[in-house]
Amino acid sequence: MASHIVGYPRMGPKRELKFALESFWDKKSSAEDLQKVAADLRSAIWKQMADAGIKYIPSNTFSYYDQVLDATSMLGAVPPRYGWNGGEIRFDTYFSMARGNASVPAMEMTKWFDTNYHFIVPELGPDVNFSYASHKAVDEYKEAKSLGVDTVPVLVGPVSYLLLSKPAKGVEKTFSLLSLLPKILPIYKEVISELKAAGASWIQFDEPTLVLDLDSHQLQAFTAAYADLESALSGLNVLIDTYFADLTTEAYKTLVGLKGVTAYGLDLVRGTQTIDLVKAGFPEGKYLFAGVVDGRNIWANDLASSLSTLQRLEDIVGKDKLVVSTSCSLLHTAVDLVNETKLDDEIKSWLAFAAQKVVEVNALAKALAGQKDEAFFAANAAAQASRKSSPRVTNEAVQKAAAALKGSDHRRATNVSARLDAQQKKLNLPVLPTTTIGSFPQTLELRRVRREFKANKISEDNYIKAIKEEIKKVVDLQEELDIDVLVHGEPERNDMVEYFGEQLSGFAFTVNGWVQSYGSRCVKPPIIYGDVSRPKPMTVFWSSTAQSMTQRPMKGMLTGPVTILNWSFVRNDQPSLIFYDCNISRFETCYQIALAIKDEVEDLEKAGINVIQIDEAALREGLPLQKSEHAFYLKWAVHSFRITNCGVQDTTQIHTHMCYSNFNDIIHSIIDMDADVITIENSRSDEKLLSVFREGVKYGAGIGPGVYDIHSPRIPSTKEIADRINKMLAVLETNILWVNPDCGLKTRKYAEVKPALNNMVAAAKLLRTQLASAK
């Protein structure tokens, strides 16, 4: 029985790639140094999988930024502003597309389906001259082969590539991106030809858009594309991999009807109903790559349950045609549990990171082949039983409190217009008030202080003194820049979710459980293992300290319950998990987190904090992939946010923040959150957020569409920011518009932040003057 891994984490067990990338970007190391680190990581990954007995090992899943940008490079689809003149795409062009440079902005970045991973959105139009401009897929296949590992090269499928793209600036929004299929397929054929010549026997096309709500025209594009590629693929075994959700009946029929395809990869973890489609009919002689090991969570697989599922599938597809696989790429989970030295033994026994999931996949494959490792399966069963019976998982008081929430919609008593009037009387802010989103640059010295405090190398008094000094520096800088509503900069926090999870019961934490978010940015998601509550205040001391340093309003900074949920590794042990696609198991936990944040909000208000920001950066990210499930998710997600602040006074201004997603389709749910002010990503996505207001949606609360992109080192000019504010004023009322960056500033350097914020404030003042003179 064979085994397969869809993809593997790239950063390395100790984030080796992250540090190599940042060293290269800072011009402290060469391209050759970066390539050497990358080659060593790839070699280690391939060897690890080969040693574990995996038969179908992927290549070309390693990336210096993201796999969609790699596909853009392969196709030579470089926007003209980057000045690329043909030839093999090098690092300067590649990273300019991803991060921008001194003269041009980066391409849009958005979330990869419903994950916290991001990708660079291709910008396409009828005039793009596609060309074979990156040989990475072939080069990495040859590299693995030279090491004695025969891999399955992985490409982003041609139809998913186009469906994940957007019309370039100046191209009609109605332009059919799928009309470009005839232009990109010849390049795919060139890649396929080179892979065949290099000795590849399998090729994997990732077509995850098949799990979306597709119309007949879009589904027909898959049929047409693979019919066109059929002759080029002759002699190769072809795997089409889908993941993250169930396939619709129509999508499944399209998938199994594709010409020239040998195998189908299905997510049987999140695609809980897809197995019924397989039972109803699976093409004879084809392979099923059964994704039974979860690629998006860190819980040990229930091997007995998975083996039972696989045995049922074996009866349908045939013993020699069933391949055990992960549900999706392991990119979305942490690297190796071996590196976790501080997790207690009980919780550790419940977990499996990427390295352990590779072992699970192979153990299941061997069991199906009659070589079951009885000791391994027995240990797994014991861990599953321990988790079900552990008293640390259940808190009946918390469960009762969360259950009681369902009888009310938890709205504030006064409408937002009246609240804004009351808040303005108290805060006395100017027109176009300026603020930032929360975090300020995390310097090496600041990181050292936090690290040494956690390691008990400095005292608590010295730690508090150092953090207070950092807060004072940030407050003084904001006053010097003349920002209206201040933040304390979050120097005590390495990560917005990790910080809160560390102080809530029901959470566990890793030392090296890093997961890539985008580029070199890694996050360390907390693990929610049980019922959640707040034992004591979490932020009141730091917010009060910061407010004591200034007469200006100081925002209390919190992470909202939906974002904590979506950016954590979430429980999968509630009985209602079988309804996962309706998110029933998730909302129970979300309500518990909402109650904890509600306690914190009310304590901040009592401490004299008049502006409280409750970030819901990931609310859109958690939206189910199929529209039939949207309403239920949005109902409980929006309700959870309202729970957090339903008890505050009218004069307390509640902000929220959202970043890097498409919000237009959920704008009415955003309005229903009933926040006083929302700050929201806008600049990197070509200001498409503003289009929803041009189309007539009325928004009465305060709103701050980001005026510049913080994920790029580029510093925007005052004129550029003023022009952007003017575009906003064309569709939004002057009295509700705020001026702010797109997101927090922790990933930037002060040398970038100071001039950018200075220009932002200057632009706001310029517009205030112009508005006053126009009266």
Side-chain angles (χ1 to χ4, degrees), residues 342-355:
K342 294 187 177 179
L343 281 171
D344 69 67
D345 289 342
E346 183 180 39
I347 289 180
K348 196 169 182 179
S349 74
W350 302 343
L351 306 179
F353 291 180

Side-chain angles (χ1 to χ4, degrees), residues 263-309:
Y264 314 101
L266 303 177
D267 182 341
L268 301 181
V269 176
R270 291 190 170 228
T272 53
Q273 309 303 313
T274 296
I275 196 166
D276 293 332
L277 297 173
V278 175
K279 290 175 182 176
F282 190 81
E284 188 175 353
K286 303 293 186 178
Y287 288 85
L288 172 60
F289 282 57
V292 295
V293 173
D294 192 351
R296 285 184 57 174
N297 218 325
I298 42 64
W299 301 110
N301 187 270
D302 185 339
L303 295 179
S305 176
S306 292
L307 183 59
S308 176
T309 297

Side-chain angles (χ1 to χ4, degrees), residues 183-232:
K183 291 188 175 183
I184 69 171
L185 289 178
I187 296 162
Y188 274 87
K189 290 175 184 177
E190 286 188 70
V191 180
I192 292 164
S193 176
E194 288 193 6
L195 287 169
K196 287 167 73 172
S201 59
W202 279 83
I203 186 169
Q204 175 179 321
F205 292 98
D206 281 3
E207 293 282 13
T209 57
L210 272 167
V211 305
L212 303 178
D213 292 309
L214 302 180
D215 60 34
S216 58
H217 171 67
Q218 292 167 322
L219 289 173
Q220 177 58 32
F222 288 93
T223 302
Y226 287 93
D228 192 312
L229 292 173
E230 184 180 15
S231 60

Side-chain angles (χ1 to χ4, degrees), residues 91 119-120 136 243-244 274 293 395 413 441 451 520-521 536 587 608-609 633 691 715 727 758 769:
F91 279 157
F119 72 98
I120 302 298
K136 176 178 175 292
Y243 35 80
F244 296 153
T274 296
V293 173
N395 183 323
R451 188 170 57 248
S520 68
R521 168 81 170 136
K536 61 182 180 179
F587 88 72
I609 304 300
Y633 168 80
S691 67
I715 298 167
K727 289 180 182 178
N758 184 70
T769 301

Side-chain angles (χ1 to χ4, degrees), residues 86-104:
E88 189 81 3
I89 288 176
R90 305 297 179 189
F91 279 157
D92 55 348
T93 301
Y94 181 86
F95 288 127
S96 290
M97 289 192 286
R99 307 177 72 239
N101 57 43
S103 57
V104 292

Side-chain angles (χ1 to χ4, degrees), residues 8 13-14 48 334-343 348 351-357 359 510-513:
Y8 201 81
K14 296 185 178 177
Q48 175 189 355
V335 179
D336 196 341
L337 194 57
V338 168
N339 297 317
E340 298 307 321
T341 55
K342 294 187 177 179
L343 281 171
K348 196 169 182 179
L351 306 179
F353 291 180
Q356 288 69 45
K357 289 176 186 291
V359 175
T510 63
V511 175
N512 289 298

Side-chain angles (χ1 to χ4, degrees), residues 118-139:
H118 300 67
F119 72 98
I120 302 298
V121 181
E123 302 172 9
L124 305 178
D127 299 327
V128 176
N129 294 313
F130 296 99
S131 63
Y132 188 10
S134 171
H135 292 67
K136 176 178 175 292
V138 178
D139 291 344

Side-chain angles (χ1 to χ4, degrees), residues 240-541:
I240 307 293
D241 220 308
T242 70
Y243 35 80
F244 296 153
D246 278 308
L247 293 167
T248 64
T249 302
E250 294 77 13
Y252 180 76
K253 288 178 181 177
T254 299
L255 173 64
V256 297
L258 296 178
K259 292 187 176 179
V261 175
T262 315
Y264 314 101
L266 303 177
D267 182 341
L268 301 181
V269 176
R270 291 190 170 228
T272 53
Q273 309 303 313
T274 296
I275 196 166
D276 293 332
L277 297 173
V278 175
K279 290 175 182 176
F282 190 81
E284 188 175 353
K286 303 293 186 178
Y287 288 85
L288 172 60
F289 282 57
V292 295
V293 173
D294 192 351
R296 285 184 57 174
N297 218 325
I298 42 64
W299 301 110
N301 187 270
D302 185 339
L303 295 179
S305 176
S306 292
L307 183 59
S308 176
T309 297
L310 290 165
Q311 287 167 338
R312 294 197 304 273
L313 290 170
E314 191 177 53
D315 293 337
I316 299 167
V317 306
K319 194 176 186 69
D320 61 336
K321 297 299 182 183
L322 184 62
V323 178
V324 183
S325 184
T326 53
S327 63
C328 62
S329 173
L330 297 175
L331 171 70
H332 308 288
T333 191
V335 179
D336 196 341
L337 194 57
V338 168
N339 297 317
E340 298 307 321
T341 55
K342 294 187 177 179
L343 281 171
D344 69 67
D345 289 342
E346 183 180 39
I347 289 180
K348 196 169 182 179
S349 74
W350 302 343
L351 306 179
F353 291 180
Q356 288 69 45
K357 289 176 186 291
V358 169
V359 175
E360 288 178 339
V361 167
N362 201 55
L364 286 166
K366 289 174 69 177
L368 271 179
Q371 302 169 41
K372 184 178 179 182
D373 185 334
E374 296 291 353
F376 187 72
F377 270 70
N380 175 266
Q384 298 293 324
S386 161
R387 188 173 169 213
K388 287 176 182 175
S389 62
S390 176
R392 69 199 302 179
V393 170
T394 304
N395 183 323
E396 290 186 7
V398 170
Q399 292 179 359
K400 287 178 181 177
L405 294 170
K406 297 168 190 175
S408 167
D409 63 3
H410 295 90
R411 293 183 185 276
R412 292 171 76 178
T414 310
N415 67 43
V416 68
S417 177
R419 297 198 309 264
L420 288 174
D421 288 343
Q423 292 155 14
Q424 179 58 16
K425 288 176 183 176
K426 188 165 191 173
L427 299 174
N428 193 30
L429 298 173
V431 172
L432 305 180
T434 54
T435 190
T436 65
I437 304 305
S439 61
F440 265 65
Q442 300 264 314
T443 63
L444 290 174
E445 173 62 17
L446 180 56
R447 293 178 190 277
R448 181 193 64 78
V449 168
R450 283 202 308 263
R451 188 170 57 248
E452 290 189 352
F453 177 61
K454 282 197 169 186
N456 296 316
K457 292 182 178 178
I458 61 173
S459 68
E460 184 174 13
D461 286 346
N462 286 337
Y463 170 73
I464 290 173
K465 179 174 181 288
I467 297 300
K468 282 184 175 179
E469 288 172 355
E470 184 70 18
I471 292 173
K472 184 73 166 81
K473 181 175 77 173
V474 170
V475 170
D476 289 348
L477 172 61
Q478 291 172 94
E479 290 192 327
E480 176 189 328
L481 292 167
D482 204 18
I483 291 172
D484 299 305
V485 176
L486 311 190
V487 298
H488 76 289
E490 303 176 11
E492 78 283 13
R493 308 177 195 181
N494 178 65
D495 176 85
M496 60 188 286
V497 174
E498 181 184 0
Y499 175 81
F500 289 97
E502 284 179 337
Q503 301 182 76
L504 294 169
S505 64
F507 282 76
F509 298 88
T510 63
V511 175
N512 289 298
W514 298 100
V515 178
Q516 185 181 17
S517 179
Y518 64 87
S520 68
R521 168 81 170 136
C522 297
V523 295
K524 197 164 53 170
I527 298 166
I528 304 177
Y529 67 82
D531 293 329
V532 177
S533 61
R534 185 196 74 147
K536 61 182 180 179
M538 302 178 285
T539 66
V540 175
F541 173 76

